[in-house]
């Protein structure tokens, strides 16, 4: 199977393009591909940009992997949660360019990023686990609490998916730009981010995200213990 997360390194930027030719599910292969892209970005000291393709950013965790059984599903969610932790603590800026639908783990990726772009359109963004009979993971609740305005939390409890404008208002996105202006807007922001003092960025990001990283880590471990019966 081809890598569904394709990496292009150029001029201090790691462009990580999500494209599995379907819904960009956050499968084990997709997670591994993103991690490899971040490895390359960290090695090069590059800004990382995660982007989807027109119409879809990511439709969340891979249901085919869940169908393989509880162990496979737990391992995938755990790997996804570890990816979120890595982005929150990543030593260079991480930007997401949401080009369509993003739910629920697709929304996790955006909420972990330092700068989040979106485009208007008939797209849905958010956490809809409750609407499909799943309890939202504890780490995801902590992530929403960290990034979004308080009014976003009731939408999580009711499994509500949001249009791009409401996603911007509630904190899933930082900027909304027209599709034909997205590439230039992301490039301009990346150019600005590349010029930030690296040490100041790392130190400030650690102060901002340190508490939520600790809360997410505890939430992940608590859920793992409950699901596996580990002591």
């Amino acid at each position: 199977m081809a890598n569904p997360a394709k990496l292009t390194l150029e001029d201090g930027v790691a462009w990580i393009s999500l494209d599995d030719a379907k819904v960009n599910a956050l499968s084990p292969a997709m997670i591994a591909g993103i991690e490899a892209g971040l490895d390359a970005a960290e090695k090069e000291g590059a800004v990382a940009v995660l982007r989807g393709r027109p119409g879809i950013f990511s439709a969340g965790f891979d249901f085919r992997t869940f169908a393989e059984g509880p162990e496979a599903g737990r391992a995938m969610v755990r790997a996804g949660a570890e990816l979120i932790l890595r982005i929150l603590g990543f030593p260079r800026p991480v930007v997401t360019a949401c080009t369509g639908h993003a739910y629920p783990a697709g929304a996790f990726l955006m909420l972990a990023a330092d700068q989040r772009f979106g485009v208007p359109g008939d797209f849905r963004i958010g956490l809809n686990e409750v609407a499909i009979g799943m309890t939202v993971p504890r780490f995801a609740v902590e992530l929403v609490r960290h990034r979004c305005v308080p009014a976003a939390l009731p939408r999580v409890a009711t499994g509500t998916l949001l249009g791009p404008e409401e996603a911007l208002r509630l904190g899933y996105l930082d900027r909304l730009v027209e599709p034909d202006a997205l590439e230039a807007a992301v490039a301009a922001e990346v150019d600005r981010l590349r010029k930030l003092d690296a040490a100041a960025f790392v130190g400030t990001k650690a102060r901002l995200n340190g508490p939520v990283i600790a809360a997410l880590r505890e939430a992940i471990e608590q859920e793992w213990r409950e699901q596996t019966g580990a002591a």
Side-chain angles (χ1 to χ4, degrees):
M1 178 181 177
N3 187 348
K6 300 168 180 63
L7 171 68
T8 303
L9 269 170
E10 56 184 20
D11 299 327
V13 184
W15 301 92
I16 304 170
S17 301
L18 314 185
D19 188 359
D20 65 0
K22 296 178 182 178
V23 296
N24 287 350
L26 209 62
S27 63
M30 180 71 83
I31 293 168
I34 296 171
E35 288 277 14
L38 292 176
D39 287 343
E42 188 166 2
K43 181 179 179 180
E44 296 296 323
V47 174
V49 181
L50 299 176
R51 58 185 177 182
R53 65 176 192 275
I56 186 73
F57 181 66
S58 173
F61 286 121
D62 181 34
F63 276 91
R64 291 174 301 178
T65 302
F66 282 128
E68 293 175 9
E71 289 187 9
R74 283 195 297 267
M76 176 177 63
V77 173
R78 177 70 182 248
E82 295 290 345
L83 173 60
I84 297 307
L85 285 173
R86 185 175 186 188
I87 294 172
L88 285 167
F90 199 68
R92 295 295 288 149
V94 178
V95 177
T96 51
C98 179
T99 47
H101 301 294
Y103 50 82
F108 301 167
L109 290 175
M110 295 197 303
L111 290 172
D114 301 298
Q115 186 66 254
R116 299 155 296 160
F117 287 85
V119 297
D122 188 20
F123 304 128
R124 292 294 174 260
I125 295 169
L127 279 61
N128 69 331
E129 286 97 334
V130 173
I132 58 175
M134 300 176 69
T135 301
V136 178
R138 287 184 176 85
F139 77 85
V141 173
E142 294 296 339
L143 189 59
V144 173
R145 202 188 308 276
H146 175 61
R147 285 294 197 215
C148 293
V149 302
L153 287 170
R155 304 325 197 269
V156 174
T158 57
T160 305
L161 292 176
L162 315 168
E165 289 78 10
E166 191 170 15
L168 175 68
R169 182 176 67 84
L170 294 182
Y172 286 89
L173 297 170
D174 294 310
R175 291 180 60 186
L176 203 59
V177 298
E178 292 298 324
D180 59 0
L182 180 63
E183 184 175 346
V186 171
E189 179 62 10
V190 166
D191 187 58
R192 186 187 72 84
L193 293 171
R194 287 176 58 202
K195 298 172 184 175
L196 294 176
D197 181 85
F201 173 79
V202 169
T204 302
K205 183 171 179 175
R207 290 179 180 182
L208 290 171
N209 290 353
V212 74
I213 288 172
L216 261 68
R217 173 61 67 191
E218 174 54 32
I220 292 165
E221 296 302 333
Q222 181 179 352
E223 207 127 38
W224 187 261
R225 290 193 297 270
E226 290 175 355
Q227 292 174 351
T228 63

